[in-house]
Amino acid sequence: MSKLISQETFDDAVVENIEEFEMSPEEALDDALSQFKTQDVDLSLIVKDSQVYSSENNGPVVHTSVKITNQLKQFLTDDNINEVELEKLIMDFVEECADFAKSSLAGTNDAYTTLYKFLQKLQDSQNNKLLQRFINAVYVLLVGQSKLMKPTDTKYFLELLDLYRADIDILLQTVKVISTSCITNEANKKSYIDGQIVSKAMDLLRTYKDEKELVKAICSLFCVLTADDDSSVPFGNAHETCRLIATEDSGLLLILELCKHYSKDTTILKELFTTLPLLLVRNEFCQQVYDFGGISFMATIFLDNLENAPICSKTMTVFQCLARNDVVKDAIVTSGVVDIILMALSKHVSKPPVCEAGCALIGALALRSPSNAKLIMTTTFPQLLVQVMKSHPDSARVQKSACIAVRNVVYHNSEYSGTFRDLEIADLVNAVLAKHSTAYDEAKAALRDLGCKVELKELWKGEKGSIPQ
């Protein structure tokens, strides 16, 4: 495991090279980098700027992001703020913090607290443009550093959504801040959800459904809110959040309406189709999509965008989630989606995401459905599946989905196994078994149901004592 050092330790090493060995700032920096790398030190969060070590800079080393932060702190104490100078300063801060190492250094020097105080101070001003720049600065600072925001701060950003409903730019930047502050931060997610962020977001979607960037930002927010990504807590509330978004103000139906509204705009459609599967966590939600007529219009979107690989993979993922409902599953098959899947796989056989999604969808449609498996076997799917597995031998995800598809299709009728064995699929599945540990169980299940030789290990035999009662 790599070692970590502070920015101060690194700076001291560079300064020592300059003072003790009379190196130039550039030479001193290169030497320090080389020395620390040989010691297996992780330098990804270290700012490497030779200019701050120049002899022209008297006194201790102060990096630009920290220098700007200190200047902002001085502005806070000034009652007569020069807004032109302040705007230039915050623009310089955003430019500097585009580099994550510099942003991280600013974060450790109270940059977030300083920016937050400015936001509170600017809320009563009439300078919306300056307020927007500071909100954007908070967004840039929080990227990768969501823990800088405290749950108590969320109330302010929720109020911004109410106070500036007529300013689309401030709304957009605020949604981005909220979204970023929730990444790997369960406490902030809970605070925002308790503050009715879902209801506010749904209201914004209805009011500004034609504002593409805002729609995309809210979709991203929903994806973040429904992710169990905070390792510091024992468990998250992703499932409950999915349910809340789907039911709050008829959220699921609103997302479906937006899918129809943007059916010709693949950029927005991609974001909507990323969000939609996250909400399909209950059988009744899948039924709602069916009742809405979602199968029909999504099949049309799928067919109309066969040349677009990302849309194909996203659409198939939506169908896969819908197929958890057996009634909806049959409706997907009868709507002709299987033929479209095969066309998509044929066109994009070199694209791993499409192949993974296509195989996963076929596996879902065949699960618990002999009639669907029978229909699938009347198509060119077996031959296409072999082609997919041969095209992506190094992709564990594609191979895993392919094995699941084989298993779910042949399980219903032993005659289907012969078709696959004639295509020598057993060799491909055995290769998966040997190469991809993450697809180990799926590969064994496929071999078993294909009627091939497979070594099944009994993981527990009870030979070393009984289970405590």
Side-chain angles (χ1 to χ4, degrees), residues 376-395:
I376 290 167
M377 287 302 295
T378 63
T379 68
T380 58
F381 174 70
Q383 294 79 9
L384 200 50
L385 181 72
V386 169
Q387 187 180 353
V388 165
M389 295 184 74
K390 287 181 177 179
S391 299
H392 305 283
D394 298 324
S395 174

Side-chain angles (χ1 to χ4, degrees), residues 102-173:
K102 297 175 182 179
S103 175
S104 178
L105 183 60
T108 59
N109 284 271
D110 296 326
Y112 172 76
T113 302
T114 303
L115 294 176
Y116 184 69
K117 288 179 179 178
F118 257 111
L119 287 177
Q120 292 176 309
K121 192 170 185 177
L122 290 169
Q123 189 170 324
D124 296 329
S125 75
Q126 301 299 315
N127 194 336
N128 286 11
K129 183 180 179 182
L130 186 58
L131 176 63
Q132 180 196 337
R133 291 202 184 280
F134 268 88
I135 297 172
N136 182 52
V138 171
Y139 162 69
V140 171
L141 183 65
L142 287 177
V143 172
Q145 303 184 98
S146 64
K147 303 289 185 184
L148 291 175
M149 182 186 288
K150 306 177 189 68
T152 52
D153 298 342
T154 60
K155 182 180 178 182
Y156 172 82
F157 294 99
L158 288 168
E159 288 175 351
L160 285 180
L161 297 179
D162 295 327
L163 293 172
Y164 293 90
R165 279 188 59 81
D167 193 319
I168 190 66
D169 294 322
I170 288 181
L171 288 176
L172 177 59
Q173 292 298 337

Side-chain angles (χ1 to χ4, degrees), residues 83-277:
E83 293 188 347
V84 175
E85 291 182 13
L86 182 59
E87 184 174 4
K88 183 181 184 305
L89 193 62
I90 198 62
M91 290 171 67
D92 290 342
F93 178 86
V94 169
E95 183 178 355
E96 189 71 12
C97 288
D99 182 314
F100 183 65
K102 297 175 182 179
S103 175
S104 178
L105 183 60
T108 59
N109 284 271
D110 296 326
Y112 172 76
T113 302
T114 303
L115 294 176
Y116 184 69
K117 288 179 179 178
F118 257 111
L119 287 177
Q120 292 176 309
K121 192 170 185 177
L122 290 169
Q123 189 170 324
D124 296 329
S125 75
Q126 301 299 315
N127 194 336
N128 286 11
K129 183 180 179 182
L130 186 58
L131 176 63
Q132 180 196 337
R133 291 202 184 280
F134 268 88
I135 297 172
N136 182 52
V138 171
Y139 162 69
V140 171
L141 183 65
L142 287 177
V143 172
Q145 303 184 98
S146 64
K147 303 289 185 184
L148 291 175
M149 182 186 288
K150 306 177 189 68
T152 52
D153 298 342
T154 60
K155 182 180 178 182
Y156 172 82
F157 294 99
L158 288 168
E159 288 175 351
L160 285 180
L161 297 179
D162 295 327
L163 293 172
Y164 293 90
R165 279 188 59 81
D167 193 319
I168 190 66
D169 294 322
I170 288 181
L171 288 176
L172 177 59
Q173 292 298 337
T174 303
V175 170
K176 287 184 176 181
V177 167
I178 294 172
S179 183
T180 307
S181 69
C182 289
I183 297 174
T184 68
N185 194 324
E186 191 66 30
N188 282 352
K189 288 177 188 176
K190 184 178 185 307
S191 184
Y192 277 120
I193 289 170
D194 290 346
Q196 306 299 312
I197 182 59
V198 174
S199 178
K200 293 178 187 293
M202 291 301 173
D203 187 35
L204 289 176
L205 282 177
R206 284 193 171 88
T207 305
Y208 295 105
K209 71 175 184 178
D210 292 320
E211 294 291 342
K212 297 181 181 181
E213 291 304 314
L214 185 59
V215 171
K216 286 170 62 177
I218 292 175
C219 285
S220 297
L221 171 61
F222 288 159
C223 291
V224 170
L225 290 175
T226 55
D228 266 333
D229 56 359
D230 189 346
S231 60
S232 66
V233 297
F235 57 87
N237 294 294
H239 185 278
E240 178 59 24
T241 303
C242 292
R243 183 204 62 78
L244 178 65
I245 295 171
T247 57
E248 187 84 11
D249 297 331
S250 302
L252 177 57
L253 296 180
L254 176 56
I255 296 295
L256 290 170
E257 288 170 2
L258 288 171
C259 289
K260 268 191 170 182
H261 185 68
Y262 285 106
S263 61
K264 301 298 182 183
D265 190 325
T266 55
T267 303
I268 309 300
L269 202 56
K270 181 182 173 183
E271 300 297 327
L272 290 165
F273 277 6
T274 300
T275 306
L276 185 56

Side-chain angles (χ1 to χ4, degrees), residues 49 72 454 459:
D49 184 1
L72 287 170
V454 57
L459 299 179

